[in-house]
């Protein structure tokens, strides 16, 4: 798993990459950003060179579940989203940035894939999974379920 500082720097690079149009032939570093139709959940998927196997991450603006306590290993904001990477069960996000309000809305029932990652927009929720490992999460106002 990436350290919290490396994860924060990686997402900063992702946001910077969004400002630079990709070439017609594609790029070694791929990013997909999208959000729930109501805008409460924002997501980013990354894959490619420098991404250490990539990840799917979603942050949430408003939720009813209790935010978990911040571990000592996280010097940034903690628990306002979930991510799944290449090897482990999904975990809460430790980051100094956000994936909220990025990209276009993903209609309910639609999905986006990038490498082994797949995120599907559900009614007021987002479900993301690493299809290689079966690990993933469901994030909604009511639940932050990791599997």
């Amino acid at each position: 798993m990436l350290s919290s500082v490396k994860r924060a720097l990686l997402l900063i690079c992702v946001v910077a990459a969004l400002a630079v149009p990709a070439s017609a032939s594609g790029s070694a570093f791929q990013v997909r950003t999208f959000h729930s139709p109501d805008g409460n959940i924002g997501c980013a998927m990354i894959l490619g060179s420098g991404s250490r196997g990539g990840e799917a991450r979603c942050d949430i603006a408003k939720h009813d579940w209790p935010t978990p306590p911040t571990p000592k290993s996280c010097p940034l904001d903690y628990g306002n989203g979930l991510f799944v990477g290449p090897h482990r069960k999904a975990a809460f996000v430790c980051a100094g940035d956000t994936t909220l309000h990025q990209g276009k809305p993903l209609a309910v029932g639609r999905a986006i894939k990038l490498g082994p990652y797949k995120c599907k927009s559900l009614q007021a929720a987002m479900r993301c999974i690493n299809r290689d490992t079966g690990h993933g999460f469901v994030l909604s106002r009511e639940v932050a379920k990791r599997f």
Side-chain angles (χ1 to χ4, degrees):
M1 186 179 337
L2 295 173
S3 74
S4 58
V5 174
K6 286 181 183 175
R7 286 180 42 73
L9 291 172
L10 181 59
L11 197 53
I12 288 168
C13 292
V14 168
V15 172
L18 294 175
V20 179
S23 67
S25 64
S27 68
F29 191 77
Q30 300 175 54
V31 179
R32 304 283 187 278
T33 57
F34 51 95
H35 57 84
S36 60
D38 67 0
N40 191 42
I41 302 170
C43 303
M45 300 165 76
I46 61 171
L47 188 67
S49 178
S51 71
R52 297 185 183 253
E55 72 176 41
R57 169 185 165 184
C58 294
D59 293 344
I60 190 163
K62 296 178 184 175
H63 58 83
D64 297 333
W65 40 268
T67 302
T70 303
K72 289 182 182 181
S73 62
C74 179
L76 304 167
D77 294 330
Y78 182 78
N80 293 312
L82 294 169
F83 77 97
V84 62
H87 305 295
R88 297 185 174 132
K89 185 176 174 180
F92 284 97
V93 173
C94 171
D97 57 8
T98 184
T99 60
L100 290 169
H101 313 297
Q102 304 294 318
K104 295 182 180 182
L106 182 61
V108 173
R110 300 292 306 249
I112 291 181
K113 297 176 187 175
L114 182 62
Y117 303 102
K118 178 181 177 182
C119 291
K120 184 173 183 179
S121 180
L122 307 173
Q123 190 66 41
M126 202 66 72
R127 180 181 189 274
C128 295
I129 187 168
N130 178 328
R131 294 172 293 158
D132 289 346
T133 65
H135 294 304
F137 61 85
V138 175
L139 184 64
S140 74
R141 176 170 244 168
E142 293 79 26
V143 299
K145 179 182 175 185
R146 302 172 291 152
F147 55 88

